[in-house]
Structures are given as C-alpha cells and as structure tokens.
Amino acid sequence: MRLPEDLRSYDALRAISERLAPQEATLVDGLLNTLLDSFPELRDDEQAKQRLGVSLRANVSTLIALMDESVDLNLVEPPAGAIQFAYYLAHQSFPISTLWRIYHVATAKFVDQCLRELFASAHDPTVVGEQTVAVSALIHHYVDKVCIRIGETYDQERERWIRGLDIKRVERVGDVLSGRTVDLPDTEHTLGYRLRNRDHLALVVWDADTQFSGQSLHLLQRSVAQCVEALGCTENPLFIAQSTTTAWVWLPVPKSARNEPAELLQRQREGLPPTVRIAIGELGTDVSGFVRTHRQAGLAQTVALSADHRQMTPYSAVGGLSFLCQDLDAARDWVEDTIGALAINDAATGRIRDTLRAYLECRGSLSAAAKQLGCHKNTVAYRVQRAEQAIGRPIMTRELDIAFALHACRWLPKVLLHG
C-alpha cells in the first residue's frame, strides 16, 4: 500500500513530520505515561516499562520517517523494539489482547497529537480535511501492518516459550521425584508451584478415548479445574503434560479439605468428561509428600488401567491391589484358590460376593450387614452359608485372604473373574 500522490501533493505528511521530529522524545514520554495510566499491570514492572519505551520510540521514529518519505507500506517491517516488547509480553503470560489494546490506545493518542499539529499550522478547512485523511491513512495502515506481524511473532514466541518452559518443568519434576539434590527456591520458581510447607494431592489424569481428537489436553485441564474447585484450592495446581493424552497433577490442598480430599473429588466425578480418568494419591506434606503422593497416584493408575471402568480411582481404596496388577495371571490363580467358585462372573455369584464382603466388613454381624445391604439378616445368613459352600472351607480359617480377594474382585472383575 502506498499513499495517494494527490494527497501527498500538499506536503501534508512531510510538514507534520517536520513539526513532530523535534518533539519526538516528548511525544514518546507522553505516550508512555498514557499507557502506564491505562495499564497498571505494567506500571510496577520495570522491565516491561523499559521495553515498552523502546517499542514506542521505535514505532514513533518509523512513523515520522514514513511521513517524510513515500514508502510502500507492504515493505515495512515492525521495528526490533516492537518485536522485543511482544516477546516480553509472551514470556510473562500477558494475553495477546493486552498487546492489541496497547496499540489501540497508543494509536489514538498519536493520531490526536498529529491532528493537533495540523490544526495549529493550517487554516484552510479543505486542506486540513485532506491532510487529516492522509495522516489517518498512513498511521492506521502502518499499525495494521505492524499488528499482523507482531501477532504472528507473539503466537510463535509464546508457543516456543511454553514448549521450552514445559521441558524445564518436566526436568525439574523429574529431579524432585528421583530424589536428586535440587535448589528448592529455584525449582519452585521454575515450576510456579511451592513444594515446601504445604499439603499436596497428586493426580494422574488421562483421556481413555481411543479415537484421538487432538482435544485431550484441553479436556484434562478442564477436569483439573473442576478438581481445584471441588477442593476449594486458592492457589494454582501444578500441571505437567506427559503426552498428548496424559498429565501429572499436584493440587495444593487447603486446610478446609485436608480430612477427605479424595472423597471430595469423587463427589464431582459426574461432571467430568466421560472419557477422562483420574487416579488419586493420598495427602502428602512438603517435598517428601510431593513425591509419595505422586507414587501413590501412579500405583492407583496401574489398577485403573486394569479395571478400565471407573472414572476415579483413589489409592486409599486400591493401594494393595497394585501389587496384584504386576502379575495378573498369578493374581487370577490366587483369587480362584482363595474364594473358589465365588470367582465366577455372573449376577447371582456377584450378590453372594457382595454379601460376604459386607458381612466381613461388619465383623461377622448379620444385622449390620443386612442394614448395609438393605435386606433381611436371614438373607445375609443364607448367602454367607452359600459362600462358605462355594469356597469349600470355613470362612474364618482364611478371613483376611478372603476379604482381600473379594475386594480385588470388586475393583478388577474383568481380569480376575472367569466364566
């Protein structure tokens, strides 16, 4: 784009250029003050102020030069100072809308200054009108051109920065989990998450959808946000993507949720996307707790991957089962040896298993088991007798083994039962 020659014949732009050039430093200072008043989030950031000032000087200098010489704006590139300022905003996680608003406010102020110079130096309304069109066309076309390029630069740099930051965060988390000596303050700064003097609850979150949609990480982040809300967390969680479908997460648990964080999360499972799965560790404190709760979440995931039917799997419920999952063939044989014919996968046998499990949980109380199951105690007694016949030995001779086998069948029916 080149400005029409008939408009430039009045030397309007060159005249304005000559008037603005001696005031360039003052003009830049005025623009900077206006922007700092409009964007208080930049006011206390010395590096942001410095880079913004450099960007303003570069853009104003370029515009004044363009007013002095007719140049094809398609050949104009953003000045280095403007690009560096976009880089800084990308690195500091400012949204790109902040960058657009800065250019919008600065453009309006600069156009206003140019028009003031026009009105102060010209008296013919026709000439002033033509000059106004020429000035506005130049400035807005220049800003439009710069914003397109700056927007591309911001997006590319933001993506590159996040990718590099994610790599650093993965490395730092790996160092902490492996027990390597780390600089804790520096590690916390890199992670954006405090490790010391707080309670952590680790999650392993993954998308079980076999039809890859490319939206898995978005679903996982949305699910973690629901978990944050469920616990009432007042600080941001640590979210570390392990792949396009899996993430490791640590939630900073507030005091109000310390007693039963896993239970609070499970109450929210109905609102989760249907393909999302979450394995939950137990509460851990400080750096050692950060490591331990993650290890527990990983073991809970091992059970969840074998079970493949529950959205949430707490370690508190399945910790012991993780060892069975290390050799499912041996686990299947052990379960059959322990509960005999109760290891059959049908509805009738399932009711007997559930009754026997409740009976053992209630320490052999028929009345308590009946209340838990919502049936008559004679029904409980009959089913316990049937269970003992199916097992082929008195229940109390291997009570602990039988209770554990029943618990395992409840969580892993597809892999431990047969028939």
mmCIF file of all heavy atoms in Angstrom, residues 123-167:
data_model
loop_
_atom_site.group_PDB
_atom_site.id
_atom_site.type_symbol
_atom_site.label_atom_id
_atom_site.label_comp_id
_atom_site.label_asym_id
_atom_site.label_seq_id
_atom_site.Cartn_x
_atom_site.Cartn_y
_atom_site.Cartn_z
ATOM 1 N N HIS A 123 -5.046 26.679 8.009
ATOM 2 C CA HIS A 123 -6.257 27.467 8.221
ATOM 3 C C HIS A 123 -7.325 27.176 7.183
ATOM 4 O O HIS A 123 -8.484 27.527 7.379
ATOM 5 C CB HIS A 123 -5.910 28.964 8.192
ATOM 6 C CG HIS A 123 -4.874 29.347 9.203
ATOM 7 N ND1 HIS A 123 -5.136 29.396 10.551
ATOM 8 C CD2 HIS A 123 -3.555 29.660 9.057
ATOM 9 C CE1 HIS A 123 -4.031 29.756 11.209
ATOM 10 N NE2 HIS A 123 -3.054 29.908 10.314
ATOM 11 N N ASP A 124 -6.957 26.564 6.086
ATOM 12 C CA ASP A 124 -7.919 26.230 5.038
ATOM 13 C C ASP A 124 -8.613 24.915 5.405
ATOM 14 O O ASP A 124 -7.957 23.878 5.468
ATOM 15 C CB ASP A 124 -7.179 26.072 3.701
ATOM 16 C CG ASP A 124 -8.146 25.850 2.544
ATOM 17 O OD1 ASP A 124 -9.292 25.399 2.800
ATOM 18 O OD2 ASP A 124 -7.764 26.118 1.397
ATOM 19 N N PRO A 125 -9.915 24.940 5.671
ATOM 20 C CA PRO A 125 -10.619 23.720 6.080
ATOM 21 C C PRO A 125 -10.473 22.582 5.074
ATOM 22 O O PRO A 125 -10.375 21.413 5.463
ATOM 23 C CB PRO A 125 -12.080 24.163 6.214
ATOM 24 C CG PRO A 125 -12.013 25.641 6.428
ATOM 25 C CD PRO A 125 -10.814 26.123 5.647
ATOM 26 N N THR A 126 -10.466 22.917 3.776
ATOM 27 C CA THR A 126 -10.335 21.870 2.760
ATOM 28 C C THR A 126 -8.981 21.183 2.879
ATOM 29 O O THR A 126 -8.871 19.956 2.825
ATOM 30 C CB THR A 126 -10.480 22.463 1.359
ATOM 31 O OG1 THR A 126 -11.768 23.095 1.252
ATOM 32 C CG2 THR A 126 -10.375 21.374 0.291
ATOM 33 N N VAL A 127 -7.948 21.990 3.054
ATOM 34 C CA VAL A 127 -6.605 21.444 3.181
ATOM 35 C C VAL A 127 -6.492 20.603 4.457
ATOM 36 O O VAL A 127 -5.913 19.504 4.441
ATOM 37 C CB VAL A 127 -5.556 22.571 3.184
ATOM 38 C CG1 VAL A 127 -4.166 22.008 3.497
ATOM 39 C CG2 VAL A 127 -5.545 23.302 1.849
ATOM 40 N N VAL A 128 -7.043 21.119 5.537
ATOM 41 C CA VAL A 128 -6.977 20.376 6.803
ATOM 42 C C VAL A 128 -7.675 19.031 6.664
ATOM 43 O O VAL A 128 -7.186 17.996 7.144
ATOM 44 C CB VAL A 128 -7.624 21.194 7.942
ATOM 45 C CG1 VAL A 128 -7.769 20.327 9.201
ATOM 46 C CG2 VAL A 128 -6.791 22.418 8.248
ATOM 47 N N GLY A 129 -8.827 19.022 5.975
ATOM 48 C CA GLY A 129 -9.547 17.770 5.772
ATOM 49 C C GLY A 129 -8.726 16.768 4.987
ATOM 50 O O GLY A 129 -8.653 15.574 5.347
ATOM 51 N N GLU A 130 -8.087 17.212 3.917
ATOM 52 C CA GLU A 130 -7.264 16.315 3.101
ATOM 53 C C GLU A 130 -6.049 15.820 3.884
ATOM 54 O O GLU A 130 -5.657 14.655 3.784
ATOM 55 C CB GLU A 130 -6.830 17.044 1.829
ATOM 56 C CG GLU A 130 -7.999 17.336 0.884
ATOM 57 C CD GLU A 130 -7.604 18.251 -0.266
ATOM 58 O OE1 GLU A 130 -6.568 18.943 -0.131
ATOM 59 O OE2 GLU A 130 -8.314 18.272 -1.268
ATOM 60 N N GLN A 131 -5.478 16.722 4.645
ATOM 61 C CA GLN A 131 -4.314 16.318 5.442
ATOM 62 C C GLN A 131 -4.701 15.306 6.524
ATOM 63 O O GLN A 131 -3.945 14.364 6.821
ATOM 64 C CB GLN A 131 -3.679 17.567 6.084
ATOM 65 C CG GLN A 131 -3.005 18.480 5.076
ATOM 66 C CD GLN A 131 -2.473 19.734 5.736
ATOM 67 O OE1 GLN A 131 -2.946 20.141 6.795
ATOM 68 N NE2 GLN A 131 -1.504 20.376 5.101
ATOM 69 N N THR A 132 -5.895 15.505 7.104
ATOM 70 C CA THR A 132 -6.369 14.577 8.130
ATOM 71 C C THR A 132 -6.531 13.173 7.556
ATOM 72 O O THR A 132 -6.138 12.172 8.178
ATOM 73 C CB THR A 132 -7.713 15.062 8.716
ATOM 74 O OG1 THR A 132 -7.524 16.350 9.319
ATOM 75 C CG2 THR A 132 -8.246 14.072 9.741
ATOM 76 N N VAL A 133 -7.100 13.102 6.356
ATOM 77 C CA VAL A 133 -7.263 11.802 5.698
ATOM 78 C C VAL A 133 -5.899 11.163 5.447
ATOM 79 O O VAL A 133 -5.695 9.971 5.677
ATOM 80 C CB VAL A 133 -8.041 11.949 4.383
ATOM 81 C CG1 VAL A 133 -8.017 10.640 3.595
ATOM 82 C CG2 VAL A 133 -9.477 12.372 4.653
ATOM 83 N N ALA A 134 -4.944 11.948 4.975
ATOM 84 C CA ALA A 134 -3.613 11.425 4.667
ATOM 85 C C ALA A 134 -2.920 10.904 5.920
ATOM 86 O O ALA A 134 -2.349 9.807 5.923
ATOM 87 C CB ALA A 134 -2.770 12.518 4.017
ATOM 88 N N VAL A 135 -2.973 11.660 7.013
ATOM 89 C CA VAL A 135 -2.332 11.251 8.263
ATOM 90 C C VAL A 135 -2.990 9.985 8.816
ATOM 91 O O VAL A 135 -2.304 9.019 9.192
ATOM 92 C CB VAL A 135 -2.409 12.382 9.305
ATOM 93 C CG1 VAL A 135 -1.992 11.871 10.676
ATOM 94 C CG2 VAL A 135 -1.526 13.530 8.886
ATOM 95 N N SER A 136 -4.317 9.989 8.856
ATOM 96 C CA SER A 136 -5.025 8.833 9.406
ATOM 97 C C SER A 136 -4.754 7.576 8.592
ATOM 98 O O SER A 136 -4.561 6.487 9.143
ATOM 99 C CB SER A 136 -6.534 9.107 9.449
ATOM 100 O OG SER A 136 -6.826 10.188 10.311
ATOM 101 N N ALA A 137 -4.737 7.725 7.245
ATOM 102 C CA ALA A 137 -4.489 6.565 6.383
ATOM 103 C C ALA A 137 -3.107 5.988 6.651
ATOM 104 O O ALA A 137 -2.946 4.762 6.799
ATOM 105 C CB ALA A 137 -4.628 6.966 4.920
ATOM 106 N N LEU A 138 -2.098 6.843 6.743
ATOM 107 C CA LEU A 138 -0.738 6.361 6.972
ATOM 108 C C LEU A 138 -0.632 5.639 8.313
ATOM 109 O O LEU A 138 -0.134 4.508 8.390
ATOM 110 C CB LEU A 138 0.245 7.533 6.935
ATOM 111 C CG LEU A 138 1.677 7.179 7.363
ATOM 112 C CD1 LEU A 138 2.304 6.220 6.379
ATOM 113 C CD2 LEU A 138 2.518 8.433 7.525
ATOM 114 N N ILE A 139 -1.105 6.290 9.369
ATOM 115 C CA ILE A 139 -0.936 5.719 10.709
ATOM 116 C C ILE A 139 -1.684 4.400 10.844
ATOM 117 O O ILE A 139 -1.133 3.396 11.322
ATOM 118 C CB ILE A 139 -1.407 6.728 11.786
ATOM 119 C CG1 ILE A 139 -0.503 7.965 11.770
ATOM 120 C CG2 ILE A 139 -1.410 6.069 13.163
ATOM 121 C CD1 ILE A 139 -0.977 9.074 12.679
ATOM 122 N N HIS A 140 -2.947 4.360 10.398
ATOM 123 C CA HIS A 140 -3.739 3.161 10.594
ATOM 124 C C HIS A 140 -3.267 1.999 9.716
ATOM 125 O O HIS A 140 -3.274 0.842 10.151
ATOM 126 C CB HIS A 140 -5.226 3.451 10.371
ATOM 127 C CG HIS A 140 -5.842 4.231 11.486
ATOM 128 N ND1 HIS A 140 -6.055 5.595 11.437
ATOM 129 C CD2 HIS A 140 -6.260 3.839 12.723
ATOM 130 C CE1 HIS A 140 -6.585 6.007 12.573
ATOM 131 N NE2 HIS A 140 -6.728 4.962 13.372
ATOM 132 N N HIS A 141 -2.824 2.311 8.504
ATOM 133 C CA HIS A 141 -2.290 1.240 7.668
ATOM 134 C C HIS A 141 -0.975 0.715 8.247
ATOM 135 O O HIS A 141 -0.711 -0.491 8.208
ATOM 136 C CB HIS A 141 -2.092 1.729 6.238
ATOM 137 C CG HIS A 141 -3.361 1.739 5.436
ATOM 138 N ND1 HIS A 141 -4.005 0.588 5.044
ATOM 139 C CD2 HIS A 141 -4.107 2.774 4.965
ATOM 140 C CE1 HIS A 141 -5.094 0.897 4.360
ATOM 141 N NE2 HIS A 141 -5.183 2.226 4.294
ATOM 142 N N TYR A 142 -0.169 1.595 8.779
ATOM 143 C CA TYR A 142 1.086 1.162 9.392
ATOM 144 C C TYR A 142 0.814 0.286 10.620
ATOM 145 O O TYR A 142 1.393 -0.800 10.765
ATOM 146 C CB TYR A 142 1.920 2.377 9.812
ATOM 147 C CG TYR A 142 3.107 2.013 10.691
ATOM 148 C CD1 TYR A 142 4.274 1.499 10.144
ATOM 149 C CD2 TYR A 142 3.045 2.157 12.078
ATOM 150 C CE1 TYR A 142 5.354 1.143 10.941
ATOM 151 C CE2 TYR A 142 4.112 1.808 12.891
ATOM 152 C CZ TYR A 142 5.267 1.302 12.316
ATOM 153 O OH TYR A 142 6.331 0.950 13.124
ATOM 154 N N VAL A 143 -0.078 0.748 11.487
ATOM 155 C CA VAL A 143 -0.381 -0.008 12.695
ATOM 156 C C VAL A 143 -1.001 -1.364 12.349
ATOM 157 O O VAL A 143 -0.683 -2.392 12.971
ATOM 158 C CB VAL A 143 -1.305 0.796 13.638
ATOM 159 C CG1 VAL A 143 -1.800 -0.073 14.794
ATOM 160 C CG2 VAL A 143 -0.576 2.020 14.170
ATOM 161 N N ASP A 144 -1.888 -1.372 11.347
ATOM 162 C CA ASP A 144 -2.485 -2.629 10.931
ATOM 163 C C ASP A 144 -1.420 -3.606 10.450
ATOM 164 O O ASP A 144 -1.420 -4.792 10.808
ATOM 165 C CB ASP A 144 -3.510 -2.371 9.823
ATOM 166 C CG ASP A 144 -4.211 -3.647 9.379
ATOM 167 O OD1 ASP A 144 -4.877 -4.269 10.218
ATOM 168 O OD2 ASP A 144 -4.072 -4.016 8.193
ATOM 169 N N LYS A 145 -0.504 -3.104 9.630
ATOM 170 C CA LYS A 145 0.581 -3.938 9.112
ATOM 171 C C LYS A 145 1.446 -4.465 10.267
ATOM 172 O O LYS A 145 1.784 -5.660 10.319
ATOM 173 C CB LYS A 145 1.423 -3.109 8.147
ATOM 174 C CG LYS A 145 2.739 -3.743 7.706
ATOM 175 C CD LYS A 145 2.518 -4.847 6.721
ATOM 176 C CE LYS A 145 3.851 -5.342 6.171
ATOM 177 N NZ LYS A 145 3.679 -6.473 5.245
ATOM 178 N N VAL A 146 1.803 -3.589 11.188
ATOM 179 C CA VAL A 146 2.651 -3.982 12.317
ATOM 180 C C VAL A 146 1.937 -5.004 13.208
ATOM 181 O O VAL A 146 2.527 -5.997 13.636
ATOM 182 C CB VAL A 146 3.069 -2.748 13.139
ATOM 183 C CG1 VAL A 146 3.673 -3.166 14.477
ATOM 184 C CG2 VAL A 146 4.072 -1.922 12.349
ATOM 185 N N CYS A 147 0.654 -4.783 13.467
ATOM 186 C CA CYS A 147 -0.081 -5.683 14.366
ATOM 187 C C CYS A 147 -0.197 -7.091 13.787
ATOM 188 O O CYS A 147 -0.144 -8.080 14.526
ATOM 189 C CB CYS A 147 -1.468 -5.113 14.665
ATOM 190 S SG CYS A 147 -1.450 -3.766 15.877
ATOM 191 N N ILE A 148 -0.371 -7.180 12.476
ATOM 192 C CA ILE A 148 -0.426 -8.502 11.859
ATOM 193 C C ILE A 148 0.879 -9.251 12.098
ATOM 194 O O ILE A 148 0.894 -10.417 12.516
ATOM 195 C CB ILE A 148 -0.722 -8.384 10.347
ATOM 196 C CG1 ILE A 148 -2.164 -7.900 10.127
ATOM 197 C CG2 ILE A 148 -0.501 -9.730 9.649
ATOM 198 C CD1 ILE A 148 -2.493 -7.604 8.687
ATOM 199 N N ARG A 149 1.990 -8.578 11.835
ATOM 200 C CA ARG A 149 3.292 -9.213 12.005
ATOM 201 C C ARG A 149 3.606 -9.466 13.483
ATOM 202 O O ARG A 149 4.132 -10.511 13.857
ATOM 203 C CB ARG A 149 4.385 -8.350 11.366
ATOM 204 C CG ARG A 149 4.350 -8.356 9.865
ATOM 205 C CD ARG A 149 4.892 -9.680 9.296
ATOM 206 N NE ARG A 149 6.329 -9.762 9.510
ATOM 207 C CZ ARG A 149 6.908 -10.601 10.348
ATOM 208 N NH1 ARG A 149 6.185 -11.431 11.071
ATOM 209 N NH2 ARG A 149 8.222 -10.622 10.481
ATOM 210 N N ILE A 150 3.259 -8.490 14.336
ATOM 211 C CA ILE A 150 3.516 -8.641 15.763
ATOM 212 C C ILE A 150 2.682 -9.784 16.334
ATOM 213 O O ILE A 150 3.135 -10.551 17.183
ATOM 214 C CB ILE A 150 3.214 -7.324 16.509
ATOM 215 C CG1 ILE A 150 4.279 -6.284 16.205
ATOM 216 C CG2 ILE A 150 3.127 -7.561 18.011
ATOM 217 C CD1 ILE A 150 5.636 -6.592 16.773
ATOM 218 N N GLY A 151 1.431 -9.921 15.869
ATOM 219 C CA GLY A 151 0.579 -11.007 16.332
ATOM 220 C C GLY A 151 1.168 -12.360 16.000
ATOM 221 O O GLY A 151 1.182 -13.278 16.830
ATOM 222 N N GLU A 152 1.674 -12.496 14.769
ATOM 223 C CA GLU A 152 2.325 -13.752 14.377
ATOM 224 C C GLU A 152 3.557 -14.004 15.246
ATOM 225 O O GLU A 152 3.800 -15.134 15.699
ATOM 226 C CB GLU A 152 2.725 -13.689 12.904
ATOM 227 C CG GLU A 152 1.535 -13.607 11.945
ATOM 228 C CD GLU A 152 1.974 -13.304 10.526
ATOM 229 O OE1 GLU A 152 3.171 -12.990 10.330
ATOM 230 O OE2 GLU A 152 1.124 -13.377 9.614
ATOM 231 N N THR A 153 4.321 -12.951 15.483
ATOM 232 C CA THR A 153 5.527 -13.068 16.303
ATOM 233 C C THR A 153 5.180 -13.494 17.721
ATOM 234 O O THR A 153 5.835 -14.377 18.307
ATOM 235 C CB THR A 153 6.276 -11.728 16.338
ATOM 236 O OG1 THR A 153 6.718 -11.409 15.015
ATOM 237 C CG2 THR A 153 7.477 -11.782 17.271
ATOM 238 N N TYR A 154 4.140 -12.875 18.288
ATOM 239 C CA TYR A 154 3.719 -13.199 19.654
ATOM 240 C C TYR A 154 3.320 -14.666 19.747
ATOM 241 O O TYR A 154 3.752 -15.388 20.648
ATOM 242 C CB TYR A 154 2.548 -12.307 20.066
ATOM 243 C CG TYR A 154 1.967 -12.641 21.420
ATOM 244 C CD1 TYR A 154 2.367 -11.962 22.562
ATOM 245 C CD2 TYR A 154 1.016 -13.654 21.568
ATOM 246 C CE1 TYR A 154 1.845 -12.276 23.812
ATOM 247 C CE2 TYR A 154 0.496 -13.983 22.800
ATOM 248 C CZ TYR A 154 0.913 -13.288 23.919
ATOM 249 O OH TYR A 154 0.390 -13.619 25.148
ATOM 250 N N ASP A 155 2.473 -15.126 18.822
ATOM 251 C CA ASP A 155 1.992 -16.509 18.864
ATOM 252 C C ASP A 155 3.147 -17.501 18.762
ATOM 253 O O ASP A 155 3.205 -18.488 19.506
ATOM 254 C CB ASP A 155 0.996 -16.758 17.732
ATOM 255 C CG ASP A 155 -0.331 -16.060 17.964
ATOM 256 O OD1 ASP A 155 -0.629 -15.726 19.124
ATOM 257 O OD2 ASP A 155 -1.064 -15.842 16.980
ATOM 258 N N GLN A 156 4.064 -17.252 17.839
ATOM 259 C CA GLN A 156 5.201 -18.159 17.651
ATOM 260 C C GLN A 156 6.098 -18.178 18.887
ATOM 261 O O GLN A 156 6.538 -19.242 19.337
ATOM 262 C CB GLN A 156 5.999 -17.742 16.411
ATOM 263 C CG GLN A 156 5.240 -17.927 15.115
ATOM 264 C CD GLN A 156 5.920 -17.235 13.939
ATOM 265 O OE1 GLN A 156 6.983 -16.626 14.080
ATOM 266 N NE2 GLN A 156 5.299 -17.321 12.777
ATOM 267 N N GLU A 157 6.368 -16.994 19.433
ATOM 268 C CA GLU A 157 7.248 -16.910 20.593
ATOM 269 C C GLU A 157 6.582 -17.509 21.826
ATOM 270 O O GLU A 157 7.230 -18.177 22.629
ATOM 271 C CB GLU A 157 7.635 -15.459 20.864
ATOM 272 C CG GLU A 157 8.584 -15.257 22.042
ATOM 273 C CD GLU A 157 9.938 -15.928 21.827
ATOM 274 O OE1 GLU A 157 10.258 -16.299 20.681
ATOM 275 O OE2 GLU A 157 10.684 -16.077 22.822
ATOM 276 N N ARG A 158 5.263 -17.269 21.969
ATOM 277 C CA ARG A 158 4.536 -17.830 23.105
ATOM 278 C C ARG A 158 4.582 -19.359 23.066
ATOM 279 O O ARG A 158 4.826 -20.015 24.077
ATOM 280 C CB ARG A 158 3.090 -17.337 23.080
ATOM 281 C CG ARG A 158 2.231 -17.858 24.224
ATOM 282 C CD ARG A 158 2.637 -17.260 25.521
ATOM 283 N NE ARG A 158 1.850 -17.786 26.625
ATOM 284 C CZ ARG A 158 2.277 -17.892 27.859
ATOM 285 N NH1 ARG A 158 3.508 -17.528 28.166
ATOM 286 N NH2 ARG A 158 1.500 -18.352 28.799
ATOM 287 N N GLU A 159 4.353 -19.931 21.890
ATOM 288 C CA GLU A 159 4.391 -21.378 21.739
ATOM 289 C C GLU A 159 5.796 -21.915 22.029
ATOM 290 O O GLU A 159 5.951 -22.924 22.719
ATOM 291 C CB GLU A 159 3.955 -21.763 20.324
ATOM 292 C CG GLU A 159 3.908 -23.260 20.092
ATOM 293 C CD GLU A 159 3.417 -23.611 18.699
ATOM 294 O OE1 GLU A 159 2.931 -22.712 17.985
ATOM 295 O OE2 GLU A 159 3.539 -24.782 18.312
ATOM 296 N N ARG A 160 6.815 -21.227 21.488
ATOM 297 C CA ARG A 160 8.189 -21.667 21.706
ATOM 298 C C ARG A 160 8.557 -21.578 23.187
ATOM 299 O O ARG A 160 9.181 -22.479 23.750
ATOM 300 C CB ARG A 160 9.148 -20.798 20.878
ATOM 301 C CG ARG A 160 10.599 -21.275 20.913
ATOM 302 C CD ARG A 160 11.536 -20.199 20.438
ATOM 303 N NE ARG A 160 11.590 -19.069 21.338
ATOM 304 C CZ ARG A 160 12.293 -19.051 22.476
ATOM 305 N NH1 ARG A 160 12.994 -20.107 22.840
ATOM 306 N NH2 ARG A 160 12.292 -17.983 23.256
ATOM 307 N N TRP A 161 8.143 -20.486 23.819
ATOM 308 C CA TRP A 161 8.463 -20.262 25.231
ATOM 309 C C TRP A 161 7.797 -21.315 26.116
ATOM 310 O O TRP A 161 8.427 -21.879 27.012
ATOM 311 C CB TRP A 161 8.009 -18.861 25.628
ATOM 312 C CG TRP A 161 8.186 -18.538 27.075
ATOM 313 C CD1 TRP A 161 7.241 -18.580 28.054
ATOM 314 C CD2 TRP A 161 9.390 -18.126 27.729
ATOM 315 N NE1 TRP A 161 7.765 -18.208 29.264
ATOM 316 C CE2 TRP A 161 9.095 -17.916 29.094
ATOM 317 C CE3 TRP A 161 10.692 -17.891 27.287
ATOM 318 C CZ2 TRP A 161 10.039 -17.506 30.013
ATOM 319 C CZ3 TRP A 161 11.633 -17.479 28.215
ATOM 320 C CH2 TRP A 161 11.308 -17.291 29.551
ATOM 321 N N ILE A 162 6.526 -21.571 25.867
ATOM 322 C CA ILE A 162 5.802 -22.566 26.669
ATOM 323 C C ILE A 162 6.420 -23.943 26.483
ATOM 324 O O ILE A 162 6.584 -24.709 27.439
ATOM 325 C CB ILE A 162 4.309 -22.579 26.282
ATOM 326 C CG1 ILE A 162 3.637 -21.278 26.759
ATOM 327 C CG2 ILE A 162 3.602 -23.792 26.866
ATOM 328 C CD1 ILE A 162 2.199 -21.145 26.338
ATOM 329 N N ARG A 163 6.772 -24.263 25.222
ATOM 330 C CA ARG A 163 7.383 -25.567 24.968
ATOM 331 C C ARG A 163 8.704 -25.699 25.725
ATOM 332 O O ARG A 163 8.985 -26.723 26.347
ATOM 333 C CB ARG A 163 7.600 -25.742 23.462
ATOM 334 C CG ARG A 163 8.045 -27.135 23.065
ATOM 335 C CD ARG A 163 7.846 -27.372 21.579
ATOM 336 N NE ARG A 163 8.521 -26.380 20.782
ATOM 337 C CZ ARG A 163 7.922 -25.473 20.007
ATOM 338 N NH1 ARG A 163 6.602 -25.439 19.952
ATOM 339 N NH2 ARG A 163 8.622 -24.613 19.299
ATOM 340 N N GLY A 164 9.505 -24.639 25.686
ATOM 341 C CA GLY A 164 10.778 -24.658 26.411
ATOM 342 C C GLY A 164 10.573 -24.691 27.906
ATOM 343 O O GLY A 164 11.275 -25.411 28.635
ATOM 344 N N LEU A 165 9.581 -23.935 28.399
ATOM 345 C CA LEU A 165 9.286 -23.924 29.833
ATOM 346 C C LEU A 165 8.771 -25.282 30.282
ATOM 347 O O LEU A 165 9.125 -25.768 31.360
ATOM 348 C CB LEU A 165 8.248 -22.837 30.147
ATOM 349 C CG LEU A 165 7.890 -22.621 31.616
ATOM 350 C CD1 LEU A 165 9.113 -22.242 32.424
ATOM 351 C CD2 LEU A 165 6.800 -21.561 31.744
ATOM 352 N N ASP A 166 7.937 -25.915 29.454
ATOM 353 C CA ASP A 166 7.423 -27.236 29.799
ATOM 354 C C ASP A 166 8.554 -28.251 29.917
ATOM 355 O O ASP A 166 8.539 -29.103 30.801
ATOM 356 C CB ASP A 166 6.414 -27.700 28.741
ATOM 357 C CG ASP A 166 5.049 -27.057 28.921
ATOM 358 O OD1 ASP A 166 4.824 -26.466 29.998
ATOM 359 O OD2 ASP A 166 4.224 -27.130 28.012
ATOM 360 N N ILE A 167 9.532 -28.149 29.017
ATOM 361 C CA ILE A 167 10.676 -29.060 29.080
ATOM 362 C C ILE A 167 11.429 -28.863 30.393
ATOM 363 O O ILE A 167 11.797 -29.831 31.072
ATOM 364 C CB ILE A 167 11.611 -28.840 27.875
ATOM 365 C CG1 ILE A 167 10.907 -29.299 26.587
ATOM 366 C CG2 ILE A 167 12.926 -29.587 28.059
ATOM 367 C CD1 ILE A 167 11.663 -28.964 25.330
#
